[in-house]
PDB file of all heavy atoms in Angstrom:
ATOM      1  N   PHE A   1      13.838 -55.529 -13.521  1.00  0.00           N
ATOM      2  CA  PHE A   1      14.322 -54.800 -12.347  1.00  0.00           C
ATOM      3  C   PHE A   1      14.117 -55.607 -11.073  1.00  0.00           C
ATOM      4  O   PHE A   1      15.014 -55.694 -10.215  1.00  0.00           O
ATOM      5  CB  PHE A   1      13.597 -53.457 -12.258  1.00  0.00           C
ATOM      6  CG  PHE A   1      13.916 -52.670 -11.027  1.00  0.00           C
ATOM      7  CD1 PHE A   1      15.091 -51.937 -10.943  1.00  0.00           C
ATOM      8  CD2 PHE A   1      13.048 -52.674  -9.941  1.00  0.00           C
ATOM      9  CE1 PHE A   1      15.394 -51.204  -9.798  1.00  0.00           C
ATOM     10  CE2 PHE A   1      13.349 -51.952  -8.793  1.00  0.00           C
ATOM     11  CZ  PHE A   1      14.520 -51.219  -8.722  1.00  0.00           C
ATOM     12  N   LEU A   2      12.929 -56.220 -10.908  1.00  0.00           N
ATOM     13  CA  LEU A   2      12.663 -57.011  -9.713  1.00  0.00           C
ATOM     14  C   LEU A   2      13.549 -58.256  -9.661  1.00  0.00           C
ATOM     15  O   LEU A   2      14.023 -58.646  -8.583  1.00  0.00           O
ATOM     16  CB  LEU A   2      11.183 -57.408  -9.670  1.00  0.00           C
ATOM     17  CG  LEU A   2      10.185 -56.240  -9.523  1.00  0.00           C
ATOM     18  CD1 LEU A   2       8.755 -56.749  -9.585  1.00  0.00           C
ATOM     19  CD2 LEU A   2      10.424 -55.501  -8.201  1.00  0.00           C
ATOM     20  N   ARG A   3      13.786 -58.875 -10.805  1.00  0.00           N
ATOM     21  CA  ARG A   3      14.645 -60.064 -10.815  1.00  0.00           C
ATOM     22  C   ARG A   3      16.087 -59.695 -10.485  1.00  0.00           C
ATOM     23  O   ARG A   3      16.791 -60.458  -9.807  1.00  0.00           O
ATOM     24  CB  ARG A   3      14.580 -60.742 -12.182  1.00  0.00           C
ATOM     25  CG  ARG A   3      13.244 -61.429 -12.463  1.00  0.00           C
ATOM     26  CD  ARG A   3      13.386 -62.453 -13.551  1.00  0.00           C
ATOM     27  NE  ARG A   3      14.302 -63.518 -13.140  1.00  0.00           N
ATOM     28  CZ  ARG A   3      14.708 -64.499 -13.952  1.00  0.00           C
ATOM     29  NH1 ARG A   3      14.285 -64.528 -15.209  1.00  0.00           N
ATOM     30  NH2 ARG A   3      15.522 -65.421 -13.511  1.00  0.00           N
ATOM     31  N   ASN A   4      16.537 -58.545 -10.944  1.00  0.00           N
ATOM     32  CA  ASN A   4      17.895 -58.120 -10.605  1.00  0.00           C
ATOM     33  C   ASN A   4      18.048 -57.815  -9.124  1.00  0.00           C
ATOM     34  O   ASN A   4      19.178 -57.787  -8.610  1.00  0.00           O
ATOM     35  CB  ASN A   4      18.277 -56.885 -11.422  1.00  0.00           C
ATOM     36  CG  ASN A   4      18.411 -57.189 -12.903  1.00  0.00           C
ATOM     37  OD1 ASN A   4      18.699 -58.320 -13.291  1.00  0.00           O
ATOM     38  ND2 ASN A   4      18.179 -56.190 -13.733  1.00  0.00           N
ATOM     39  N   ARG A   5      16.930 -57.567  -8.437  1.00  0.00           N
ATOM     40  CA  ARG A   5      16.975 -57.331  -6.996  1.00  0.00           C
ATOM     41  C   ARG A   5      16.849 -58.614  -6.184  1.00  0.00           C
ATOM     42  O   ARG A   5      16.741 -58.571  -4.963  1.00  0.00           O
ATOM     43  CB  ARG A   5      15.867 -56.351  -6.588  1.00  0.00           C
ATOM     44  CG  ARG A   5      16.033 -54.956  -7.154  1.00  0.00           C
ATOM     45  CD  ARG A   5      17.352 -54.340  -6.660  1.00  0.00           C
ATOM     46  NE  ARG A   5      17.556 -52.990  -7.148  1.00  0.00           N
ATOM     47  CZ  ARG A   5      18.135 -52.674  -8.303  1.00  0.00           C
ATOM     48  NH1 ARG A   5      18.569 -53.645  -9.093  1.00  0.00           N
ATOM     49  NH2 ARG A   5      18.297 -51.424  -8.671  1.00  0.00           N
ATOM     50  N   GLY A   6      16.828 -59.772  -6.860  1.00  0.00           N
ATOM     51  CA  GLY A   6      16.850 -61.051  -6.158  1.00  0.00           C
ATOM     52  C   GLY A   6      15.537 -61.776  -6.072  1.00  0.00           C
ATOM     53  O   GLY A   6      15.484 -62.886  -5.506  1.00  0.00           O
ATOM     54  N   LEU A   7      14.439 -61.215  -6.612  1.00  0.00           N
ATOM     55  CA  LEU A   7      13.154 -61.911  -6.561  1.00  0.00           C
ATOM     56  C   LEU A   7      13.123 -63.059  -7.566  1.00  0.00           C
ATOM     57  O   LEU A   7      13.678 -62.946  -8.669  1.00  0.00           O
ATOM     58  CB  LEU A   7      12.017 -60.945  -6.864  1.00  0.00           C
ATOM     59  CG  LEU A   7      11.583 -59.983  -5.741  1.00  0.00           C
ATOM     60  CD1 LEU A   7      10.457 -59.102  -6.236  1.00  0.00           C
ATOM     61  CD2 LEU A   7      11.149 -60.751  -4.501  1.00  0.00           C
ATOM     62  N   PRO A   8      12.458 -64.163  -7.240  1.00  0.00           N
ATOM     63  CA  PRO A   8      12.286 -65.246  -8.225  1.00  0.00           C
ATOM     64  C   PRO A   8      11.450 -64.771  -9.408  1.00  0.00           C
ATOM     65  O   PRO A   8      10.717 -63.775  -9.324  1.00  0.00           O
ATOM     66  CB  PRO A   8      11.567 -66.348  -7.424  1.00  0.00           C
ATOM     67  CG  PRO A   8      11.799 -66.013  -5.995  1.00  0.00           C
ATOM     68  CD  PRO A   8      11.926 -64.528  -5.916  1.00  0.00           C
ATOM     69  N   ASN A   9      11.547 -65.492 -10.495  1.00  0.00           N
ATOM     70  CA  ASN A   9      10.848 -65.095 -11.720  1.00  0.00           C
ATOM     71  C   ASN A   9       9.344 -65.039 -11.506  1.00  0.00           C
ATOM     72  O   ASN A   9       8.681 -64.072 -11.911  1.00  0.00           O
ATOM     73  CB  ASN A   9      11.203 -66.067 -12.844  1.00  0.00           C
ATOM     74  CG  ASN A   9      10.654 -65.597 -14.185  1.00  0.00           C
ATOM     75  OD1 ASN A   9      10.518 -64.404 -14.425  1.00  0.00           O
ATOM     76  ND2 ASN A   9      10.320 -66.545 -15.047  1.00  0.00           N
ATOM     77  N   LEU A  10       8.777 -66.073 -10.853  1.00  0.00           N
ATOM     78  CA  LEU A  10       7.335 -66.118 -10.652  1.00  0.00           C
ATOM     79  C   LEU A  10       6.869 -64.972  -9.770  1.00  0.00           C
ATOM     80  O   LEU A  10       5.869 -64.312 -10.068  1.00  0.00           O
ATOM     81  CB  LEU A  10       6.941 -67.459 -10.026  1.00  0.00           C
ATOM     82  CG  LEU A  10       5.449 -67.664  -9.749  1.00  0.00           C
ATOM     83  CD1 LEU A  10       4.646 -67.583 -11.041  1.00  0.00           C
ATOM     84  CD2 LEU A  10       5.207 -69.003  -9.049  1.00  0.00           C
ATOM     85  N   ALA A  11       7.590 -64.690  -8.692  1.00  0.00           N
ATOM     86  CA  ALA A  11       7.190 -63.601  -7.792  1.00  0.00           C
ATOM     87  C   ALA A  11       7.300 -62.249  -8.494  1.00  0.00           C
ATOM     88  O   ALA A  11       6.439 -61.375  -8.327  1.00  0.00           O
ATOM     89  CB  ALA A  11       8.056 -63.630  -6.534  1.00  0.00           C
ATOM     90  N   ALA A  12       8.355 -62.070  -9.284  1.00  0.00           N
ATOM     91  CA  ALA A  12       8.515 -60.802  -9.987  1.00  0.00           C
ATOM     92  C   ALA A  12       7.397 -60.585 -10.988  1.00  0.00           C
ATOM     93  O   ALA A  12       6.828 -59.482 -11.089  1.00  0.00           O
ATOM     94  CB  ALA A  12       9.875 -60.765 -10.684  1.00  0.00           C
ATOM     95  N   VAL A  13       7.042 -61.637 -11.724  1.00  0.00           N
ATOM     96  CA  VAL A  13       5.974 -61.511 -12.721  1.00  0.00           C
ATOM     97  C   VAL A  13       4.635 -61.248 -12.050  1.00  0.00           C
ATOM     98  O   VAL A  13       3.888 -60.321 -12.430  1.00  0.00           O
ATOM     99  CB  VAL A  13       5.920 -62.776 -13.594  1.00  0.00           C
ATOM    100  CG1 VAL A  13       4.667 -62.759 -14.476  1.00  0.00           C
ATOM    101  CG2 VAL A  13       7.161 -62.879 -14.468  1.00  0.00           C
ATOM    102  N   LEU A  14       4.284 -62.048 -11.039  1.00  0.00           N
ATOM    103  CA  LEU A  14       2.992 -61.873 -10.382  1.00  0.00           C
ATOM    104  C   LEU A  14       2.913 -60.516  -9.684  1.00  0.00           C
ATOM    105  O   LEU A  14       1.862 -59.861  -9.693  1.00  0.00           O
ATOM    106  CB  LEU A  14       2.764 -63.003  -9.371  1.00  0.00           C
ATOM    107  CG  LEU A  14       2.571 -64.401  -9.976  1.00  0.00           C
ATOM    108  CD1 LEU A  14       2.358 -65.422  -8.875  1.00  0.00           C
ATOM    109  CD2 LEU A  14       1.383 -64.413 -10.936  1.00  0.00           C
ATOM    110  N   GLY A  15       4.011 -60.071  -9.089  1.00  0.00           N
ATOM    111  CA  GLY A  15       3.993 -58.765  -8.434  1.00  0.00           C
ATOM    112  C   GLY A  15       3.771 -57.637  -9.417  1.00  0.00           C
ATOM    113  O   GLY A  15       2.949 -56.740  -9.182  1.00  0.00           O
ATOM    114  N   ALA A  16       4.492 -57.658 -10.545  1.00  0.00           N
ATOM    115  CA  ALA A  16       4.336 -56.602 -11.535  1.00  0.00           C
ATOM    116  C   ALA A  16       2.947 -56.613 -12.148  1.00  0.00           C
ATOM    117  O   ALA A  16       2.310 -55.557 -12.313  1.00  0.00           O
ATOM    118  CB  ALA A  16       5.402 -56.748 -12.624  1.00  0.00           C
ATOM    119  N   VAL A  17       2.444 -57.800 -12.497  1.00  0.00           N
ATOM    120  CA  VAL A  17       1.117 -57.893 -13.110  1.00  0.00           C
ATOM    121  C   VAL A  17       0.034 -57.472 -12.129  1.00  0.00           C
ATOM    122  O   VAL A  17      -0.918 -56.753 -12.487  1.00  0.00           O
ATOM    123  CB  VAL A  17       0.877 -59.327 -13.621  1.00  0.00           C
ATOM    124  CG1 VAL A  17      -0.561 -59.491 -14.094  1.00  0.00           C
ATOM    125  CG2 VAL A  17       1.826 -59.649 -14.766  1.00  0.00           C
ATOM    126  N   THR A  18       0.158 -57.883 -10.862  1.00  0.00           N
ATOM    127  CA  THR A  18      -0.857 -57.534  -9.872  1.00  0.00           C
ATOM    128  C   THR A  18      -0.925 -56.022  -9.674  1.00  0.00           C
ATOM    129  O   THR A  18      -2.013 -55.428  -9.688  1.00  0.00           O
ATOM    130  CB  THR A  18      -0.546 -58.229  -8.535  1.00  0.00           C
ATOM    131  OG1 THR A  18      -0.522 -59.643  -8.737  1.00  0.00           O
ATOM    132  CG2 THR A  18      -1.592 -57.874  -7.500  1.00  0.00           C
ATOM    133  N   VAL A  19       0.222 -55.391  -9.507  1.00  0.00           N
ATOM    134  CA  VAL A  19       0.230 -53.945  -9.298  1.00  0.00           C
ATOM    135  C   VAL A  19      -0.341 -53.227 -10.522  1.00  0.00           C
ATOM    136  O   VAL A  19      -1.143 -52.294 -10.401  1.00  0.00           O
ATOM    137  CB  VAL A  19       1.658 -53.467  -8.995  1.00  0.00           C
ATOM    138  CG1 VAL A  19       1.716 -51.942  -8.988  1.00  0.00           C
ATOM    139  CG2 VAL A  19       2.136 -54.020  -7.663  1.00  0.00           C
ATOM    140  N   ALA A  20       0.040 -53.677 -11.725  1.00  0.00           N
ATOM    141  CA  ALA A  20      -0.412 -53.007 -12.943  1.00  0.00           C
ATOM    142  C   ALA A  20      -1.921 -53.111 -13.110  1.00  0.00           C
ATOM    143  O   ALA A  20      -2.609 -52.102 -13.339  1.00  0.00           O
ATOM    144  CB  ALA A  20       0.307 -53.593 -14.152  1.00  0.00           C
ATOM    145  N   PHE A  21      -2.464 -54.312 -12.959  1.00  0.00           N
ATOM    146  CA  PHE A  21      -3.895 -54.479 -13.228  1.00  0.00           C
ATOM    147  C   PHE A  21      -4.756 -53.994 -12.070  1.00  0.00           C
ATOM    148  O   PHE A  21      -5.906 -53.589 -12.288  1.00  0.00           O
ATOM    149  CB  PHE A  21      -4.194 -55.942 -13.553  1.00  0.00           C
ATOM    150  CG  PHE A  21      -3.819 -56.306 -14.970  1.00  0.00           C
ATOM    151  CD1 PHE A  21      -2.619 -56.927 -15.245  1.00  0.00           C
ATOM    152  CD2 PHE A  21      -4.665 -56.015 -16.016  1.00  0.00           C
ATOM    153  CE1 PHE A  21      -2.265 -57.257 -16.538  1.00  0.00           C
ATOM    154  CE2 PHE A  21      -4.325 -56.341 -17.323  1.00  0.00           C
ATOM    155  CZ  PHE A  21      -3.121 -56.963 -17.582  1.00  0.00           C
ATOM    156  N   VAL A  22      -4.238 -54.000 -10.849  1.00  0.00           N
ATOM    157  CA  VAL A  22      -4.979 -53.371  -9.757  1.00  0.00           C
ATOM    158  C   VAL A  22      -5.085 -51.865  -9.990  1.00  0.00           C
ATOM    159  O   VAL A  22      -6.146 -51.259  -9.772  1.00  0.00           O
ATOM    160  CB  VAL A  22      -4.305 -53.691  -8.407  1.00  0.00           C
ATOM    161  CG1 VAL A  22      -4.844 -52.777  -7.309  1.00  0.00           C
ATOM    162  CG2 VAL A  22      -4.548 -55.139  -8.023  1.00  0.00           C
ATOM    163  N   ALA A  23      -3.987 -51.255 -10.448  1.00  0.00           N
ATOM    164  CA  ALA A  23      -4.039 -49.823 -10.760  1.00  0.00           C
ATOM    165  C   ALA A  23      -5.029 -49.544 -11.881  1.00  0.00           C
ATOM    166  O   ALA A  23      -5.800 -48.573 -11.817  1.00  0.00           O
ATOM    167  CB  ALA A  23      -2.646 -49.334 -11.141  1.00  0.00           C
ATOM    168  N   ILE A  24      -5.031 -50.415 -12.910  1.00  0.00           N
ATOM    169  CA  ILE A  24      -5.995 -50.232 -14.003  1.00  0.00           C
ATOM    170  C   ILE A  24      -7.418 -50.394 -13.495  1.00  0.00           C
ATOM    171  O   ILE A  24      -8.333 -49.636 -13.864  1.00  0.00           O
ATOM    172  CB  ILE A  24      -5.692 -51.215 -15.146  1.00  0.00           C
ATOM    173  CG1 ILE A  24      -4.335 -50.881 -15.789  1.00  0.00           C
ATOM    174  CG2 ILE A  24      -6.788 -51.179 -16.202  1.00  0.00           C
ATOM    175  CD1 ILE A  24      -3.893 -51.896 -16.825  1.00  0.00           C
ATOM    176  N   GLY A  25      -7.649 -51.397 -12.604  1.00  0.00           N
ATOM    177  CA  GLY A  25      -8.990 -51.611 -12.065  1.00  0.00           C
ATOM    178  C   GLY A  25      -9.472 -50.449 -11.227  1.00  0.00           C
ATOM    179  O   GLY A  25     -10.629 -50.008 -11.349  1.00  0.00           O
ATOM    180  N   LEU A  26      -8.608 -49.927 -10.350  1.00  0.00           N
ATOM    181  CA  LEU A  26      -8.988 -48.766  -9.548  1.00  0.00           C
ATOM    182  C   LEU A  26      -9.274 -47.560 -10.437  1.00  0.00           C
ATOM    183  O   LEU A  26     -10.209 -46.783 -10.179  1.00  0.00           O
ATOM    184  CB  LEU A  26      -7.875 -48.442  -8.552  1.00  0.00           C
ATOM    185  CG  LEU A  26      -7.650 -49.474  -7.434  1.00  0.00           C
ATOM    186  CD1 LEU A  26      -6.460 -49.070  -6.585  1.00  0.00           C
ATOM    187  CD2 LEU A  26      -8.905 -49.619  -6.572  1.00  0.00           C
ATOM    188  N   PHE A  27      -8.475 -47.408 -11.470  1.00  0.00           N
ATOM    189  CA  PHE A  27      -8.704 -46.316 -12.422  1.00  0.00           C
ATOM    190  C   PHE A  27     -10.088 -46.434 -13.039  1.00  0.00           C
ATOM    191  O   PHE A  27     -10.842 -45.440 -13.120  1.00  0.00           O
ATOM    192  CB  PHE A  27      -7.615 -46.361 -13.487  1.00  0.00           C
ATOM    193  CG  PHE A  27      -7.728 -45.290 -14.533  1.00  0.00           C
ATOM    194  CD1 PHE A  27      -7.135 -44.051 -14.336  1.00  0.00           C
ATOM    195  CD2 PHE A  27      -8.422 -45.511 -15.707  1.00  0.00           C
ATOM    196  CE1 PHE A  27      -7.238 -43.055 -15.294  1.00  0.00           C
ATOM    197  CE2 PHE A  27      -8.540 -44.529 -16.658  1.00  0.00           C
ATOM    198  CZ  PHE A  27      -7.936 -43.299 -16.462  1.00  0.00           C
ATOM    199  N   MET A  28     -10.460 -47.644 -13.467  1.00  0.00           N
ATOM    200  CA  MET A  28     -11.767 -47.828 -14.096  1.00  0.00           C
ATOM    201  C   MET A  28     -12.904 -47.597 -13.109  1.00  0.00           C
ATOM    202  O   MET A  28     -13.948 -47.031 -13.462  1.00  0.00           O
ATOM    203  CB  MET A  28     -11.851 -49.234 -14.688  1.00  0.00           C
ATOM    204  CG  MET A  28     -10.866 -49.501 -15.816  1.00  0.00           C
ATOM    205  SD  MET A  28     -11.076 -48.359 -17.202  1.00  0.00           S
ATOM    206  CE  MET A  28     -12.734 -48.794 -17.723  1.00  0.00           C
ATOM    207  N   LEU A  29     -12.743 -48.023 -11.851  1.00  0.00           N
ATOM    208  CA  LEU A  29     -13.795 -47.813 -10.854  1.00  0.00           C
ATOM    209  C   LEU A  29     -14.032 -46.332 -10.616  1.00  0.00           C
ATOM    210  O   LEU A  29     -15.177 -45.872 -10.533  1.00  0.00           O
ATOM    211  CB  LEU A  29     -13.417 -48.516  -9.549  1.00  0.00           C
ATOM    212  CG  LEU A  29     -13.489 -50.045  -9.552  1.00  0.00           C
ATOM    213  CD1 LEU A  29     -12.998 -50.600  -8.222  1.00  0.00           C
ATOM    214  CD2 LEU A  29     -14.913 -50.519  -9.837  1.00  0.00           C
ATOM    215  N   VAL A  30     -12.944 -45.569 -10.508  1.00  0.00           N
ATOM    216  CA  VAL A  30     -13.099 -44.131 -10.300  1.00  0.00           C
ATOM    217  C   VAL A  30     -13.787 -43.485 -11.500  1.00  0.00           C
ATOM    218  O   VAL A  30     -14.667 -42.624 -11.341  1.00  0.00           O
ATOM    219  CB  VAL A  30     -11.727 -43.489 -10.027  1.00  0.00           C
ATOM    220  CG1 VAL A  30     -11.842 -41.977  -9.956  1.00  0.00           C
ATOM    221  CG2 VAL A  30     -11.134 -44.026  -8.737  1.00  0.00           C
ATOM    222  N   VAL A  31     -13.409 -43.917 -12.701  1.00  0.00           N
ATOM    223  CA  VAL A  31     -14.028 -43.354 -13.902  1.00  0.00           C
ATOM    224  C   VAL A  31     -15.516 -43.664 -13.946  1.00  0.00           C
ATOM    225  O   VAL A  31     -16.352 -42.789 -14.243  1.00  0.00           O
ATOM    226  CB  VAL A  31     -13.313 -43.883 -15.159  1.00  0.00           C
ATOM    227  CG1 VAL A  31     -14.095 -43.518 -16.421  1.00  0.00           C
ATOM    228  CG2 VAL A  31     -11.904 -43.315 -15.249  1.00  0.00           C
ATOM    229  N   VAL A  32     -15.885 -44.919 -13.629  1.00  0.00           N
ATOM    230  CA  VAL A  32     -17.303 -45.292 -13.648  1.00  0.00           C
ATOM    231  C   VAL A  32     -18.083 -44.487 -12.615  1.00  0.00           C
ATOM    232  O   VAL A  32     -19.195 -44.003 -12.878  1.00  0.00           O
ATOM    233  CB  VAL A  32     -17.442 -46.809 -13.405  1.00  0.00           C
ATOM    234  CG1 VAL A  32     -18.902 -47.181 -13.177  1.00  0.00           C
ATOM    235  CG2 VAL A  32     -16.890 -47.576 -14.595  1.00  0.00           C
ATOM    236  N   ALA A  33     -17.515 -44.319 -11.414  1.00  0.00           N
ATOM    237  CA  ALA A  33     -18.207 -43.543 -10.381  1.00  0.00           C
ATOM    238  C   ALA A  33     -18.383 -42.089 -10.801  1.00  0.00           C
ATOM    239  O   ALA A  33     -19.451 -41.494 -10.606  1.00  0.00           O
ATOM    240  CB  ALA A  33     -17.422 -43.632  -9.068  1.00  0.00           C
ATOM    241  N   GLN A  34     -17.359 -41.512 -11.403  1.00  0.00           N
ATOM    242  CA  GLN A  34     -17.451 -40.129 -11.846  1.00  0.00           C
ATOM    243  C   GLN A  34     -18.465 -39.971 -12.979  1.00  0.00           C
ATOM    244  O   GLN A  34     -19.188 -38.969 -13.038  1.00  0.00           O
ATOM    245  CB  GLN A  34     -16.079 -39.643 -12.300  1.00  0.00           C
ATOM    246  CG  GLN A  34     -15.069 -39.486 -11.187  1.00  0.00           C
ATOM    247  CD  GLN A  34     -15.378 -38.304 -10.306  1.00  0.00           C
ATOM    248  OE1 GLN A  34     -15.737 -37.241 -10.781  1.00  0.00           O
ATOM    249  NE2 GLN A  34     -15.259 -38.507  -8.999  1.00  0.00           N
ATOM    250  N   VAL A  35     -18.521 -40.957 -13.875  1.00  0.00           N
ATOM    251  CA  VAL A  35     -19.502 -40.899 -14.969  1.00  0.00           C
ATOM    252  C   VAL A  35     -20.917 -40.955 -14.419  1.00  0.00           C
ATOM    253  O   VAL A  35     -21.825 -40.241 -14.881  1.00  0.00           O
ATOM    254  CB  VAL A  35     -19.238 -42.033 -15.972  1.00  0.00           C
ATOM    255  CG1 VAL A  35     -20.395 -42.152 -16.971  1.00  0.00           C
ATOM    256  CG2 VAL A  35     -17.944 -41.785 -16.727  1.00  0.00           C
ATOM    257  N   GLY A  36     -21.144 -41.797 -13.400  1.00  0.00           N
ATOM    258  CA  GLY A  36     -22.474 -41.852 -12.786  1.00  0.00           C
ATOM    259  C   GLY A  36     -22.866 -40.540 -12.145  1.00  0.00           C
ATOM    260  O   GLY A  36     -24.007 -40.081 -12.279  1.00  0.00           O
ATOM    261  N   THR A  37     -21.936 -39.921 -11.460  1.00  0.00           N
ATOM    262  CA  THR A  37     -22.219 -38.615 -10.852  1.00  0.00           C
ATOM    263  C   THR A  37     -22.522 -37.567 -11.916  1.00  0.00           C
ATOM    264  O   THR A  37     -23.434 -36.735 -11.760  1.00  0.00           O
ATOM    265  CB  THR A  37     -21.026 -38.175 -10.002  1.00  0.00           C
ATOM    266  OG1 THR A  37     -20.736 -39.190  -9.030  1.00  0.00           O
ATOM    267  CG2 THR A  37     -21.318 -36.867  -9.297  1.00  0.00           C
ATOM    268  N   LEU A  38     -21.775 -37.596 -12.994  1.00  0.00           N
ATOM    269  CA  LEU A  38     -22.002 -36.636 -14.073  1.00  0.00           C
ATOM    270  C   LEU A  38     -23.372 -36.827 -14.703  1.00  0.00           C
ATOM    271  O   LEU A  38     -24.082 -35.849 -14.990  1.00  0.00           O
ATOM    272  CB  LEU A  38     -20.905 -36.776 -15.127  1.00  0.00           C
ATOM    273  CG  LEU A  38     -21.019 -35.881 -16.367  1.00  0.00           C
ATOM    274  CD1 LEU A  38     -20.914 -34.410 -15.966  1.00  0.00           C
ATOM    275  CD2 LEU A  38     -19.947 -36.234 -17.387  1.00  0.00           C
ATOM    276  N   ALA A  39     -23.765 -38.076 -14.929  1.00  0.00           N
ATOM    277  CA  ALA A  39     -25.081 -38.343 -15.523  1.00  0.00           C
ATOM    278  C   ALA A  39     -26.204 -37.848 -14.626  1.00  0.00           C
ATOM    279  O   ALA A  39     -27.246 -37.376 -15.106  1.00  0.00           O
ATOM    280  CB  ALA A  39     -25.222 -39.845 -15.796  1.00  0.00           C
ATOM    281  N   ARG A  40     -26.009 -37.945 -13.323  1.00  0.00           N
ATOM    282  CA  ARG A  40     -27.045 -37.471 -12.391  1.00  0.00           C
ATOM    283  C   ARG A  40     -27.140 -35.953 -12.363  1.00  0.00           C
ATOM    284  O   ARG A  40     -28.220 -35.384 -12.173  1.00  0.00           O
ATOM    285  CB  ARG A  40     -26.741 -38.006 -10.986  1.00  0.00           C
ATOM    286  CG  ARG A  40     -27.831 -37.695  -9.960  1.00  0.00           C
ATOM    287  CD  ARG A  40     -27.513 -38.253  -8.595  1.00  0.00           C
ATOM    288  NE  ARG A  40     -26.317 -37.641  -8.011  1.00  0.00           N
ATOM    289  CZ  ARG A  40     -25.152 -38.263  -7.865  1.00  0.00           C
ATOM    290  NH1 ARG A  40     -25.004 -39.519  -8.268  1.00  0.00           N
ATOM    291  NH2 ARG A  40     -24.122 -37.630  -7.327  1.00  0.00           N
ATOM    292  N   ASP A  41     -26.016 -35.258 -12.581  1.00  0.00           N
ATOM    293  CA  ASP A  41     -26.003 -33.794 -12.466  1.00  0.00           C
ATOM    294  C   ASP A  41     -26.276 -33.079 -13.782  1.00  0.00           C
ATOM    295  O   ASP A  41     -26.439 -31.856 -13.784  1.00  0.00           O
ATOM    296  CB  ASP A  41     -24.647 -33.329 -11.930  1.00  0.00           C
ATOM    297  CG  ASP A  41     -24.397 -33.829 -10.513  1.00  0.00           C
ATOM    298  OD1 ASP A  41     -25.383 -34.187  -9.831  1.00  0.00           O
ATOM    299  OD2 ASP A  41     -23.201 -33.874 -10.104  1.00  0.00           O
TER     300      ASP A  41
END
């Protein structure tokens, strides 16, 4: 989809991978924080 919109191959790949793994990382951070709160309570 990004390449069809005119982005170069490298930019499209890095953009998609960055967004995907940043979302996964934020998801894991929230889960770890919630688990710590649960263990304390």
Side-chain angles (χ1 to χ4, degrees):
F1 175 80
L2 295 176
R3 289 200 63 186
N4 293 334
R5 295 299 181 272
L7 283 180
N9 188 30
L10 180 60
V13 170
L14 292 180
V17 173
T18 301
V19 171
F21 281 98
V22 166
I24 294 174
L26 292 176
F27 180 88
M28 296 301 297
L29 288 176
V30 174
V31 170
V32 170
Q34 291 288 318
V35 169
T37 304
L38 178 63
R40 186 179 64 251
D41 296 340

